[in-house]
């Protein structure tokens, strides 16, 4: 896919996190979407507990050498591979993340996640770690970009409690984007299923 198309896809995609911070059921997925233009601001006062805990986590751990990131080993440089090849690559990345967590005595935490849109689904991981470590892993697996999540500053979010999701270029230039994301229910599309594959 061309860089511009990937940039637009990554900017408009949904996020799904599976058991973030170990707060949910073992395989329970929670969802986030780009902030709708017609967002009901009253919803921001009724945030799910997992999202509040993530905001608190970012507030307590976010500093110059820490961050929360999403990355995958799938589809290096945006070239779509068969699902079995992507699964093998992600298994290698999961092993790397386990080693990272063990070496830090649990300071680096991670969980399964995936990004998706109506006709796109890419499995991966969300990890709390130093940016340099995550970028090194992304380069190892030839990823065009990664997501960085931050607490959205008031000048960007207004009255809405949300995250600022930033696409950070790694192996592909001109893939930057900044999108405010908020919790949402499960979108009504097949790709929202954590077990979805290209053979579905």
């Amino acid at each position: 896919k061309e860089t511009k198309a990937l940039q637009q896809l990554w900017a408009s995609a949904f996020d799904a996190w599976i058991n973030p911070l170990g707060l949910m059921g073992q395989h329970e997925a929670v969802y986030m979407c780009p902030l709708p233009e017609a967002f009901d601001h009253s919803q921001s006062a009724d945030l799910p507990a997992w999202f509040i805990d993530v905001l608190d986590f970012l507030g307590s751990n976010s500093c110059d050498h820490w961050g929360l990131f999403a990355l995958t080993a799938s589809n290096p440089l945006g070239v779509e591979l068969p699902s079995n090849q992507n699964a093998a690559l992600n298994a290698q990345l999961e092993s790397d993340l386990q080693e990272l967590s063990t070496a830090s005595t649990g300071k680096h935490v991670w969980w399964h996640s995936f990004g998706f849109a109506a006709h796109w689904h890419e499995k991966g991981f969300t990890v709390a770690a130093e940016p340099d470590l995550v970028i090194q892993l992304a380069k190892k697996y030839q990823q065009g970009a990664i997501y960085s999540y931050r607490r959205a500053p008031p000048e960007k979010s207004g009255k809405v409690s949300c995250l600022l999701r930033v696409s950070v270029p790694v192996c592909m230039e001109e893939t930057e984007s900044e999108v405010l994301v908020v919790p949402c229910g499960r979108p009504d599309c097949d790709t929202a299923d954590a077990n979805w594959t290209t053979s579905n």
Side-chain angles (χ1 to χ4, degrees):
K1 294 180 180 178
E2 296 181 357
T3 299
K4 189 66 176 178
L6 286 170
Q7 181 188 38
Q8 293 173 347
L9 174 63
W10 294 333
S12 61
F14 293 89
D15 297 286
W17 290 353
I18 301 173
N19 194 23
L21 296 174
L23 298 170
M24 313 293 292
Q26 185 175 1
H27 298 292
E28 186 170 352
V30 294
Y31 298 90
M32 293 185 293
C33 66
L35 180 67
E37 290 185 10
F39 184 75
D40 181 356
H41 287 241
S42 65
Q43 297 179 29
S44 188
D46 190 25
L47 295 170
W50 67 266
F51 192 76
I52 294 172
D53 287 334
V54 168
L55 290 174
D56 291 343
F57 177 79
L58 284 171
S60 63
N61 290 280
S62 185
C63 59
D64 290 342
H65 58 280
W66 267 90
L68 185 65
F69 304 92
L71 76 162
T72 181
S74 298
N75 303 323
L77 298 178
V79 178
E80 294 188 12
L81 298 179
S83 58
N84 62 330
Q85 291 186 34
N86 282 329
L89 288 169
N90 271 332
Q92 294 175 34
L93 175 55
E94 182 171 357
S95 178
D96 289 338
L97 293 173
Q98 289 172 338
E99 290 181 10
L100 186 68
S101 180
T102 300
S104 70
T105 60
K107 184 175 72 170
H108 299 117
V109 298
W110 60 272
W111 54 87
H112 291 271
S113 59
F114 59 96
F116 66 99
H119 303 289
W120 173 77
H121 176 114
E122 197 165 75
K123 300 182 191 329
F125 307 89
T126 301
V127 56
E130 294 86 347
D132 288 349
L133 292 176
V134 180
I135 288 174
Q136 286 175 18
L137 285 174
K139 286 181 176 178
K140 176 180 177 179
Y141 293 98
Q142 296 183 290
Q143 292 302 300
I146 59 175
Y147 282 156
S148 169
Y149 300 93
R150 309 165 189 170
R151 293 185 66 147
E155 62 269 21
K156 289 185 178 290
S157 62
K159 299 179 181 180
V160 181
S161 295
C162 55
L163 296 179
L164 180 65
R165 186 183 72 195
V166 180
S167 295
V168 180
V170 179
C171 295
M172 297 175 68
E173 298 180 353
E174 300 181 0
T175 52
E176 303 94 334
S177 69
E178 289 191 359
V179 180
L180 296 172
V181 294
V182 292
C184 65
R186 173 175 166 158
D188 186 20
C189 58
D190 292 342
T191 50
D193 186 342
N195 297 314
W196 189 92
T197 67
T198 53
S199 60
N200 284 34

